[in-house]
Amino acid sequence: MDQIRKELDDIIEIKNPLDNINFIANLKRKIPHAIKLIEQSDFSLNFYPNYNCYMYALNLSNAQEVNRLSKSTLGRVRPGNEFVKYLIHQVALKEIPREKVSKGDIIIYFDNNGPVHAGKIISDRIISKWNLEGHLWEHGEEEVPVKFGSDRKYFKEISRSGALSSFFRYADFESKKIENEFKQEVKFY
C-alpha cells in the first residue's frame, strides 16, 4: 500500500482536476486499486463543487452560509485544518475506536502538525474530496496520498446543524482574533 500512497501524492500536484481521472485510470494499470470516482467536477460547465474534504465529511458541503462567511473574511475563516482542531478540542467530534465505526462516521488523517484530510466512512470504504476544485472519490483507508498523513482517527458522525453551530462559534472566535490583529496593525500607522 505504501507504493500506491506515494504514487497518489502526484495527484495533489495536478492543477487541472480533469487530469485526475486519467491519472487514477493510468495508475490502475500500474498498481491495482479500488479507487472510484463518485462526483466529477465539470469545468466545461463551470461546475466544481466549492467545498473541501472537511466540509464533505462534516455535512457542510452545500452550506451556503459557510461559503458566504468564508468569502467575507477573505478565506481566513473556513472549515479547514484549524476548524477540525477546534472541533476535536471542543469535543464536538467524539473519537471512537476503529471497531465501533459505522456508516456515516468520519475518518480524519493526521500528520505531525494535526489534521490534514477527512472522509466519510461507508462500510469498509471511504468517500472524500481531494482538493477544493477536485472530485469526490470512493477509496480504501490506505488509498490516499502520503501527504494526507500517516495517522488516522475515527469520529462519530456530526449532524449538519451541530457542525453549522460549531462553525459559527468558531467563526466568531476567529473573527475576534482577526479584528484584534487589525487593530494592532492600525496602531503602527
Side-chain angles (χ1 to χ4, degrees):
M1 269 305 168
D2 283 345
Q3 185 182 2
I4 192 166
R5 293 197 70 203
K6 288 175 187 167
E7 293 282 339
L8 286 169
D9 269 353
D10 291 340
I11 203 168
I12 296 172
E13 306 304 322
I14 297 172
K15 299 300 178 207
N16 182 351
L18 295 176
D19 293 337
N20 292 343
I21 297 167
N22 292 332
F23 179 89
I24 294 295
N26 291 335
L27 181 61
K28 193 167 198 156
R29 289 187 211 105
K30 187 174 172 183
I31 304 169
H33 65 77
I35 301 169
K36 285 189 343 187
L37 182 66
I38 298 297
E39 180 182 81
Q40 179 179 345
S41 298
D42 189 340
F43 286 85
S44 65
L45 298 174
N46 284 330
F47 172 73
Y48 44 97
N50 190 18
Y51 62 89
N52 62 27
C53 64
Y54 300 120
M55 293 174 75
Y56 176 76
L58 298 169
N59 299 309
L60 297 174
S61 56
N62 294 316
Q64 296 306 314
E65 320 82 322
V66 172
N67 286 327
R68 278 194 299 276
L69 182 64
S70 203
K71 285 179 184 173
S72 73
T73 62
L74 303 176
R76 290 183 69 184
V77 178
R78 62 186 176 80
N81 300 345
E82 294 303 316
F83 175 56
V84 172
K85 286 180 190 177
Y86 172 86
L87 289 174
I88 293 168
H89 180 74
Q90 297 296 318
V91 197
L93 280 178
K94 294 173 181 39
E95 189 173 354
I96 54 175
R98 175 67 180 109
E99 59 274 3
K100 299 274 187 185
V101 166
S102 59
K103 183 178 179 179
D105 288 339
I106 300 164
I107 183 171
I108 300 178
Y109 295 84
F110 293 80
D111 67 11
N112 293 336
N113 298 316
V116 180
H117 183 70
K120 205 176 270 203
I121 298 169
I122 54 162
S123 67
D124 62 338
R125 308 279 296 152
I126 311 297
I127 295 180
S128 69
K129 181 112 182 306
W130 294 3
N131 300 328
L132 183 62
E133 301 86 9
H135 310 293
L136 197 61
W137 299 95
E138 179 184 315
H139 55 86
E141 282 187 35
E142 292 286 332
E143 292 177 323
V144 295
V146 171
K147 290 178 182 174
F148 283 178
S150 55
D151 295 328
R152 314 184 271 276
K153 293 182 181 180
Y154 309 91
F155 298 87
K156 285 304 293 172
E157 180 178 23
I158 186 171
S159 69
R160 179 182 173 84
S161 62
L164 270 173
S165 63
S166 292
F167 181 71
F168 291 134
R169 281 193 303 277
Y170 168 77
D172 185 50
F173 174 75
E174 287 297 310
S175 294
K176 287 176 183 159
K177 279 179 25 185
I178 293 168
E179 183 180 334
N180 288 334
E181 288 171 16
F182 178 73
K183 286 178 182 175
Q184 292 299 318
E185 289 175 17
V186 171
K187 284 182 183 178
F188 290 111
Y189 289 105

